[in-house]
Amino acid sequence: MNALIGQPVRRREDARLVVGRGQFTDDVQLPGMVYAVMVRSPHAHARIRGIDASRALGMPGVLAVFTGRDLEGVLGSVPTAWIPPNSDLKQTPHRPLAVDTVRYVGDAVAMVVAEDRYVARDAAEAVVVDYEPLPAVADVMAAVAEGAPLVHADAPGNIALHWKAGEVPDEVFARAEVVVRQRFRQQRLIPNPMEPRAAVAQYDSATGHLTVWMTSQNPHIHRFILAGILGIPEHHLRVVAQDVGGGFGSKISCYPDEALVAHAARVLRRPVKWVEDRSEHFTATTHGRDHVQEVELAGRRDGTIEALRVKAWANLGAYLSTAAPGVPTILFGLIVNGCYRIPQASTEVFGVYTHTTPVDAYRGAGRPEATYLIERMIDLFADAIGMDPVEVRRKNFVPRDQFPYTNPFGITYDSGDYERALQRALERIDYAALRREQAALRAQGRYLGIGFSTYVEMCGLGPSEVAGAVGFQGGLWEHATVRVHPSGKVQVFTGASPHGQGEETTFAQIVAEKLGVPFEDIEVVHGDTDRITMGWGTYGSRSLAVGGSALAVACQRLVEKGQRIAAHRLEAAVEDVVFEAGRYQVRGVPDRSLGFQEVALQAHLAWNLPPGVEPGMEASSAYNPSNFTFPFGTHVAVVEVDPATGAVELKRYVAVDDCGTPINPLIIAGQVHGGIVQGVGQALWEGAVYGEDGQLLTTSFLDYAMPKARFFPPIETEATVTPSPHNPLGVKGVGETGTIAATPAVVNAVIDALKPWNVRHLDMPLTPERVWRAIHGKGAQG
């Protein structure tokens, strides 16, 4: 049998998805189903003086209108699930429907349920809410200014958390040969997956059980939290995530909407469906990023970096979302040094409440914000000392022979060879020739820029002991069951929950190779809390490193059980039976062998099993990793800037990534491509903009610019392979690498192109207007 791990197998799920046969939440159709629509606040901050639903209730087909007052004492508050230690976290109540006060545009105040979704929408518009508008604050720095309107009375100064890691004395900077300081603004982003959020709930009054179909990256986490909000036993709630059309972190969080839909189904004894429209998504689904960072770097004129100090203000929006407190602290603050040996580093973070949509994980979640600041600082430092930014990177890399490497915050990187990835990228672009071309074009009045990003990220989220230590209110192990039927067909039950990662393919590849069974004989089952024992979900590039490893361990247990059965059948000692390419054979006697599927049949028949071996062929694993994984690489962007218009054209993009042992290079390339597009989107086009009154001004694709395929040259991808020693597959994760690396690579390239105008820094997005103003001295520099 041919090896499958490492092969570019086409995604098996695409056979249904590309022809429209996927089963998404909105595809769920149930007898007697009714429809919910949320009434949302048009104000960023207002007191609710009253709600009149009489006109809506009088409309034909309207079944119910629920308000916050109706749900007091019925539904619990929506909790946050990450409580970083020593952060003085101010957890404020988040009611499923606002009761007295709304705190952002999109805050839900009522839910209408009707026989028809269009009737429900009309009825929602008929609900009259008497608001008393109050002062609002949307900008993170304005929110911490003296006298700013308070979002919550019990969070003085709008400070939701204050967290520190590491310490760098002032004297380190006082005696440094070179000190570089810069303020960065990481603009707010809106996730915009293809499928918006949705939920369908069905209540069985005979058993008291609820089933909720929903758009989820982590069904078991949603079950756990929703059961608490609804006040029902966890085993009475089934959560099903069928096909999920992307998430980018926005479907990790537990929102009020799913709990409201479930409650309505329980009260009305009818299935209830709610589907977010795109405009609703812009205001009601979590946003990402939105940091202000003040960064200081101390170094020597020979290019050695001596210290890094970071102070950041993270806009968390009006309420603490599920993982929100952990993103700007643990996932950001502990890896700001990147892939560099920096002896001393510190991070201080203020999490800030504002009258805006809550902010939570967005592809990369903290790691892009950290990588952006260190990669920009490397270029600024290189410029300050007159050294090539490539050489500054090379000089400060953690050397290959120093792994495992512990960074200044106590995080231990598993393995790495940063120099090799950089060298591969330099060779691919022919760096020396590209610099010559840049000089020649400048003489002609054309402005080429070359930008680098040499990144490392912390992902494969686990182990559970660390999760507990950093305040994550759950485990980070993963469960897998591999069930071999008497026919030899295999079912795989995984707690990982894909939403575009291709796990139905990669997980089948792992099992096919480990057990030696045909790829076509394997079914991967996911996303159903009644069929899957447990799972902590898919985020933080953990599905393969943790979920895939759980599969590998379960497969090994099956192989070992099969070895005992085969040895018994072949009348050989267990230690004399080897397993290769799906067959058990007596060592040195290849004619005496049995196939794995033959052995599985005998295990089920149980006619002649060795003593102590139970019938059946099924194994499970609850895999708890011993460490995070640390993918790395080098990305290079080449841009051309038109000084007449400020337009930036991406001419070339090269990505060299190391995600450990590759399972499927085709899927890796797809993940890298998608991540790069999102990262470049942040650098050049995307950005959520609020007015001073808290009104979101970018409420549709007419205002919120998204990357388009025509904006990109062919993306060139290469790989180096440095296996992780911490899991049985040697994998590291790749779902977020492109997003993490691309943003600073492109910004560095644009700033490189603008050197003739002495432009030192620009905040994102680097729109034509912003670039043009910088060229023409109109005050756009950050």
Side-chain angles (χ1 to χ4, degrees):
M1 178 180 178
N2 294 328
L4 276 174
I5 289 180
Q7 297 304 307
V9 178
R10 290 187 179 275
R11 290 179 14 136
R12 55 162 44 166
E13 44 270 72
D14 290 345
R16 69 175 186 276
L17 296 176
V18 300
V19 297
R21 293 178 183 161
Q23 288 296 307
F24 298 90
T25 301
D26 196 25
D27 293 316
V28 175
Q29 301 295 330
L30 300 171
M33 188 163 67
V34 295
Y35 299 85
V37 170
M38 305 300 166
V39 179
R40 299 191 183 276
S41 169
H43 300 284
H45 192 202
R47 188 171 291 112
I48 301 172
R49 291 190 291 212
I51 299 176
D52 182 359
S54 58
R55 182 164 163 252
L57 286 167
M59 297 173 69
V62 174
L63 301 175
V65 177
F66 298 89
T67 68
R69 291 284 180 210
D70 299 330
L71 302 181
E72 285 189 300
V74 177
L75 296 184
S77 187
V78 181
T80 187
W82 203 327
I83 306 172
N86 305 313
S87 64
D88 192 22
L89 188 68
K90 302 292 194 302
Q91 297 184 72
T92 56
H94 183 189
R95 303 300 179 194
L97 290 172
V99 177
D100 298 308
T101 305
V102 292
R103 292 182 169 85
Y104 68 97
V105 174
D107 207 353
V109 298
M111 175 177 63
V112 175
V113 184
E115 298 280 359
D116 176 272
R117 70 173 74 199
Y118 301 105
V119 171
R121 185 176 294 278
D122 290 342
E125 293 180 359
V127 175
V128 178
V129 185
D130 183 10
Y131 293 105
E132 177 189 343
L134 299 170
V137 62
D139 179 77
V140 66
M141 300 310 293
V144 297
E146 187 175 352
L150 286 182
V151 181
H152 299 278
D154 44 0
N158 291 318
I159 301 300
L161 64 86
H162 182 206
W163 177 90
K164 294 181 180 180
E167 186 173 353
V168 182
D170 289 341
E171 52 264 31
V172 173
F173 287 87
R175 66 171 182 260
E177 293 179 4
V178 181
V179 175
V180 179
R181 295 181 173 90
Q182 183 62 49
R183 171 181 276 213
F184 301 108
R185 180 176 282 273
Q186 281 260 353
Q187 79 271 37
R188 180 180 288 231
L189 302 176
I190 298 175
N192 282 312
M194 284 199 296
E195 179 197 27
R197 289 188 298 117
V200 177
Q202 184 177 43
Y203 180 68
D204 185 337
S205 58
T207 64
H209 285 221
L210 264 169
T211 299
V212 180
W213 292 263
M214 62 183 294
T215 49
S216 173
Q217 296 179 220
N218 31 243
H220 285 86
I221 291 180
H222 274 123
R223 182 182 68 172
F224 181 59
I225 297 176
L226 283 172
I229 298 170
L230 294 165
I232 62 175
E234 193 175 355
H235 62 283
H236 283 195
L237 177 60
R238 177 189 183 192
V239 172
V240 183
Q242 301 182 129
D243 289 320
V244 178
F248 311 128
S250 68
K251 294 171 183 173
I252 298 171
S253 303
C254 189
Y255 296 84
D257 311 293
E258 294 87 353
L260 292 168
V261 171
H263 175 68
R266 187 170 55 177
V267 170
L268 298 173
R269 302 297 198 263
R270 300 272 297 273
V272 180
K273 175 184 283 188
W274 167 79
V275 179
E276 174 186 72
D277 65 26
R278 185 59 64 180
S279 296
E280 201 172 11
H281 174 84
F282 272 84
T283 58
T285 292
T286 56
H287 295 173
R289 312 285 193 260
D290 205 345
H291 278 205
V292 171
Q293 303 157 344
E294 291 183 353
V295 188
E296 300 173 282
L297 183 149
R300 298 202 294 263
R301 295 199 175 277
D302 67 356
T304 302
I305 300 172
E306 296 177 306
L308 181 73
R309 192 156 57 186
V310 177
K311 188 174 184 180
W313 291 263
N315 193 335
L316 299 178
Y319 300 101
L320 295 178
S321 184
T322 304
V327 173
T329 54
I330 309 305
L331 296 180
F332 163 77
L334 299 182
I335 199 166
V336 294
N337 63 291
C339 54
Y340 307 107
R341 283 182 302 171
I342 301 178
Q344 298 185 75
S346 68
T347 309
E348 181 178 13
V349 177
F350 295 90
V352 182
Y353 283 120
T354 62
H355 293 107
T356 63
T357 299
V359 176
D360 207 318
Y362 175 68
R363 197 171 188 173
R367 282 72 50 84
E369 295 92 315
T371 300
Y372 180 78
L373 76 83
I374 187 60
E375 290 304 299
R376 285 293 296 122
M377 290 302 289
I378 292 290
D379 271 37
L380 289 166
F381 178 50
D383 185 60
I385 61 176
M387 183 179 285
D388 190 312
V390 168
E391 295 310 312
V392 173
R393 287 174 167 81
R394 203 192 307 262
K395 186 176 186 66
N396 290 282
F397 277 157
V398 177
R400 180 179 59 184
D401 60 4
Q402 289 191 14
F403 288 93
Y405 169 77
T406 301
N407 80 356
F409 301 102
I411 301 298
T412 300
Y413 298 9
D414 54 359
S415 61
D417 192 346
Y418 305 149
E419 170 69 28
R420 181 168 57 146
L422 173 62
Q423 190 59 38
R424 184 76 61 84
L426 293 172
E427 292 168 359
R428 180 67 180 254
I429 64 169
D430 195 349
Y431 185 51
L434 195 55
R435 285 295 185 193
R436 290 193 297 269
E437 180 186 1
Q438 180 186 44
L441 288 173
R442 279 185 183 172
Q444 301 170 26
R446 293 177 60 189
Y447 298 93
L448 209 65
I450 306 162
F452 287 84
S453 173
T454 51
Y455 75 93
V456 64
E457 65 154 319
M458 176 176 67
C459 67
L461 296 186
S464 299
E465 297 84 352
V466 173
V470 299
F472 184 71
Q473 302 299 293
L476 284 174
W477 51 275
E478 202 53 80
H479 193 276
T481 296
V482 181
R483 180 178 300 155
V484 187
H485 294 277
S487 63
K489 309 300 183 184
V490 180
Q491 279 186 304
V492 173
F493 300 87
T494 174
S497 190
H499 45 280
Q501 291 82 0
E503 289 160 20
E504 291 180 28
T505 303
T506 53
F507 282 11
Q509 286 179 257
I510 293 168
V511 174
E513 175 146 324
K514 296 295 183 182
L515 300 184
V517 301
F519 177 76
E520 297 76 14
D521 286 355
I522 300 165
E523 177 189 28
V524 178
V525 180
H526 55 80
D528 187 335
T529 60
D530 269 13
R531 300 184 71 187
I532 314 297
T533 301
M534 184 57 192
W536 291 99
T538 295
Y539 43 84
S541 299
R542 70 184 303 271
S543 59
L544 186 58
V546 189
S549 292
L551 282 180
V553 172
C555 286
Q556 183 58 35
R557 289 172 179 167
L558 287 176
V559 169
E560 291 170 0
K561 179 175 182 177
Q563 187 176 20
R564 294 177 65 187
I565 297 171
H568 183 71
R569 301 282 297 181
L570 295 170
E571 299 180 341
V574 172
E575 58 270 21
D576 290 334
V577 174
V578 296
F579 184 69
E580 293 178 358
R583 297 196 68 82
Y584 295 97
Q585 66 181 48
V586 179
R587 186 179 283 107
V589 191
D591 291 341
R592 295 179 63 197
S593 67
L594 290 169
F596 178 82
Q597 291 173 307
E598 296 175 76
V599 171
L601 176 60
Q602 295 305 316
H604 282 284
L605 294 175
W607 291 341
N608 185 14
L609 294 178
V613 174
E614 294 181 351
M617 203 63 167
E618 179 175 314
S620 296
S621 170
Y623 177 77
N624 190 27
S626 60
N627 193 8
F628 301 102
T629 60
F630 294 82
F632 63 90
T634 295
H635 285 212
V636 188
V638 181
V639 305
E640 184 171 357
V641 173
D642 183 344
T645 65
V648 176
E649 180 184 359
L650 185 61
K651 306 287 287 186
R652 195 173 176 193
Y653 198 98
V654 172
V656 179
D657 295 289
D658 195 314
C659 58
T661 302
I663 302 299
N664 186 320
L666 189 63
I667 287 178
I668 290 171
Q671 289 288 308
V672 170
H673 283 205
I676 288 169
V677 169
Q678 284 186 271
V680 176
Q682 178 177 8
L684 298 181
W685 305 295
E686 294 188 51
V689 179
Y690 279 91
E692 291 184 3
D693 59 356
Q695 288 292 326
L696 181 65
L697 305 180
T698 49
T699 56
S700 75
F701 291 134
L702 293 175
D703 311 301
Y704 186 92
M706 294 281 281
K708 297 177 174 63
R710 62 184 173 85
F711 297 164
F712 290 83
I715 295 172
E716 305 169 53
T717 59
E718 289 200 20
T720 60
V721 177
T722 309
S724 173
H726 295 313
N727 62 67
L729 294 170
V731 297
K732 292 195 171 198
V734 75
E736 297 164 303
T737 57
T739 311
I740 290 167
T743 307
V746 170
V747 173
N748 283 339
V750 174
I751 301 302
D752 184 56
L754 298 180
K755 277 189 175 179
W757 291 278
N758 296 315
V759 175
R760 184 173 179 271
H761 178 69
L762 292 175
D763 277 327
M764 302 179 290
L766 304 187
T767 60
E769 179 185 0
R770 186 165 287 176
V771 173
W772 184 89
R773 287 183 174 275
I775 291 172
H776 296 278
K778 302 297 183 180
Q781 292 196 45

